[in-house]
């Protein structure tokens, strides 16, 4: 004995299968969208960490440069002060020598 399905039975079975496939497709779409959203969020977080790291390293380097600059300026100030004092000392000695020579000339003229 052969059983033949009616057209309506076949259509109903096909509709049920189509509905199940559509449901599976929708579930897959939702899952893939969630994975994509999670990946985007992960990338955003990583970029933020990289940005913070770069800012921190940049600030540290700027502080180092600033400290190097301040040290260089202090050294230049000490060098200038030492040079100025040396010049003043030499000038004072030269003035004393010239005053002594002038006194000797004055003494020679008065004699």
């Amino acid at each position: 004995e052969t059983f033949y399905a009616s057209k309506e039975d076949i259509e109903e079975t096909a509709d049920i299968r189509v509905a199940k496939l559509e449901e599976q497709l929708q579930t897959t779409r939702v899952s893939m969208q969630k994975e994509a959203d999670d990946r985007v969020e992960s990338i955003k977080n990583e970029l933020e960490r990289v940005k913070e790291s770069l800012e921190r390293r940049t600030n540290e380097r700027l502080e180092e440069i600033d400290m190097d600059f301040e040290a260089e300026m202090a050294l230049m100030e000490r060098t200038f002060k030492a040079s100025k004092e040396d010049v003043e000392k030499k000038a004072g000695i030269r003035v004393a020598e010239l005053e002594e020579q002038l006194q000797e000339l004055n003494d020679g003229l008065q004699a």
Side-chain angles (χ1 to χ4, degrees):
E1 180 175 327
T2 305
F3 174 77
Y4 293 101
S6 69
K7 179 181 175 188
E8 291 82 19
D9 289 341
I10 293 170
E11 287 175 350
E12 184 180 331
T13 302
D15 288 345
I16 291 171
R17 292 207 55 199
V18 167
K20 286 181 180 180
L21 289 172
E22 286 175 343
E23 184 180 329
Q24 287 176 347
L25 179 62
Q26 182 61 26
T27 301
T28 302
R29 282 185 183 146
V30 168
S31 175
M32 289 175 73
Q33 184 62 48
K34 182 175 180 349
E35 287 177 24
D37 291 347
D38 290 348
R39 184 71 182 128
V40 167
E41 188 64 27
S42 173
I43 291 169
K44 284 181 182 178
N45 290 338
E46 182 62 24
L47 286 173
E48 186 63 28
R49 283 191 294 273
V50 168
K51 177 184 166 191
E52 290 170 0
S53 174
L54 284 173
E55 287 175 349
R56 184 175 54 255
R57 289 184 0 220
T58 299
N59 288 337
E60 288 170 357
R61 184 64 186 124
L62 286 173
E63 287 175 13
E64 289 173 9
I65 290 170
D66 190 44
M67 289 186 329
D68 290 347
F69 177 75
E70 288 177 13
E72 189 68 28
M73 288 300 294
L75 177 62
M76 289 173 63
E77 287 175 10
R78 286 191 304 273
T79 301
F80 174 74
K81 185 176 179 182
S83 296
K84 180 181 173 191
E85 290 171 355
D86 189 43
V87 168
E88 288 173 348
K89 181 179 176 184
K90 288 179 182 176
I93 291 171
R94 185 70 182 128
V95 166
E97 290 172 353
L98 291 173
E99 287 174 344
E100 186 178 319
Q101 289 175 5
L102 181 61
Q103 186 61 44
E104 289 173 2
L105 286 174
N106 280 339
D107 290 346
L109 288 175
Q110 290 176 0

